[in-house]
Amino acid sequence: MEPEGDIHISDGAAADPPPRGPRPICSNCTRPGPVCLCHSLPARPIKTQTQIIILHHPHEANHKLSTTPILTKCLSNSTAIVARKLKPGLSPLLDQSPPAIYLFPPTKASPAVSLSDLPSSPVPKHSPLVLIAFDATWKHAREMVKASEGFLSTFASRVCLDVDESASGGSIYDSELVLRKEPFGGCVSTMEAVARALGVIEPNGVEIEARLIRVLRDMVASQARYLKTPAKPRPKLLKKGKEKQRLKNESKSESDPISGHGQL
């Protein structure tokens, strides 16, 4: 007996989905389409008397949450240099030894003028001033500053934001930004640090700071929608030895239901 029609045998396995192509990238803000920020960027880059130079660590330059690309889109007098340290020959502007400040917290060996005290300090504030910021993880940023200080010390002054390293760490915005964890309270993104500095040193700084922060808030809000779990705050980083001991003690405590202290 001949079959009445073709017989199709299926093993029940679903066909593999087609491979996903690269996400479309906005040609203007260079961000993926779903988190495009063009609607938040100034219609024209903001003009400042201050020249802004950002030393962008090579690792951070490829990070999707780096704020430097957006910052340079917002400010007409801003330049990003991808390198691990500032040195002669890297920037024609800095080679002229202009009056400059660079943003970084103080150390015992390298004190800094607080941003809130800058108006009354002897640090040069006349225009045009150069503002230098470092965009990297805190570990890399410390290395970059240390490597650059021999060059910067001849013409630039160190200025810090009002940061309390003894406080608990959280996010760049303690109440809003949940994208990246920072080592201690008061840490801010490169974009916010530059905005706060311009708020002090620019004649119309309050307006400039507000416009930059508005863009940063929009960036955070758009990115946060795609987070599966928000970044949790973490305490101030401890030395490796102490951190290992703390984790060991916690592990013992959890494994001992009798004493609750991990000891018998």
Side-chain angles (χ1 to χ4, degrees):
M1 181 176 179
E2 295 292 330
E4 296 180 355
D6 295 335
I7 300 175
H8 300 280
I9 301 176
S10 172
D11 60 2
D16 293 334
R20 296 178 61 181
R23 294 182 299 177
I25 301 297
C26 175
S27 59
N28 182 42
C29 69
T30 67
R31 290 176 58 78
V35 290
C36 173
L37 278 179
C38 288
H39 65 284
S40 300
L41 298 178
R44 293 182 179 85
I46 303 169
K47 293 183 178 180
T48 58
Q49 295 180 9
T50 307
Q51 296 281 340
I52 299 98
I53 292 180
I54 302 168
L55 187 65
H56 210 180
H57 192 279
H59 291 176
E60 191 70 13
N62 297 320
H63 200 294
K64 63 182 179 181
L65 297 181
S66 172
T67 59
T68 291
I70 296 301
L71 180 59
T72 54
K73 293 284 185 182
C74 291
L75 299 174
S76 60
N77 290 333
S78 61
T79 303
I81 300 174
V82 179
R84 295 175 184 267
K85 71 175 183 178
L86 291 171
K87 59 184 179 180
L90 195 61
S91 165
L93 176 60
L94 297 184
D95 285 345
Q96 301 173 34
S97 299
I101 62 174
Y102 64 99
L103 300 175
F104 207 72
T107 63
K108 292 181 180 179
S110 300
V113 175
S114 173
L115 182 62
S116 59
D117 295 332
L118 189 60
S120 59
S121 74
V123 173
K125 294 175 284 294
H126 52 82
S127 299
L129 184 69
V130 178
L131 171 64
I132 302 167
F134 297 83
D135 190 352
T137 64
W138 276 95
K139 177 181 182 295
H140 287 151
R142 288 188 181 98
E143 295 171 352
M144 293 162 71
V145 170
K146 186 176 181 179
S148 302
E149 279 192 307
F151 174 58
L152 292 175
S153 62
T154 60
F155 62 90
S157 300
R158 188 165 178 160
V159 172
C160 67
L161 305 182
D162 299 306
V163 174
D164 181 8
E165 294 198 27
S166 65
S168 296
S171 58
I172 301 173
Y173 286 120
D174 286 341
S175 60
E176 298 177 48
L177 190 57
V178 292
L179 304 183
R180 304 184 69 177
K181 293 183 287 187
E182 301 293 350
F184 48 81
C187 294
V188 299
S189 69
T190 301
M191 188 166 180
E192 186 180 354
V194 170
R196 288 172 60 179
L198 293 177
V200 173
I201 62 181
E202 281 288 309
N204 58 333
V206 174
E207 178 186 352
I208 293 174
E209 179 180 3
R211 293 178 70 182
L212 292 176
I213 294 300
R214 191 179 306 121
V215 174
L216 182 57
R217 289 182 190 276
D218 288 347
M219 174 183 171
V220 170
S222 64
Q223 197 73 43
R225 291 198 299 267
Y226 295 91
L227 287 180
K228 293 181 179 180
T229 54
K232 296 180 180 179
R234 62 182 175 182
K236 180 182 177 183
L237 298 181
L238 303 174
K239 292 183 178 180
K240 289 184 178 180
K242 292 183 179 180
E243 179 70 2
K244 288 181 179 180
Q245 184 61 42
R246 182 182 68 81
L247 294 174
K248 183 178 180 181
N249 291 341
E250 288 182 357
S251 176
K252 287 183 177 180
S253 177
E254 292 175 358
S255 64
D256 180 14
I258 299 176
S259 65
H261 297 285
Q263 297 176 355
L264 295 175

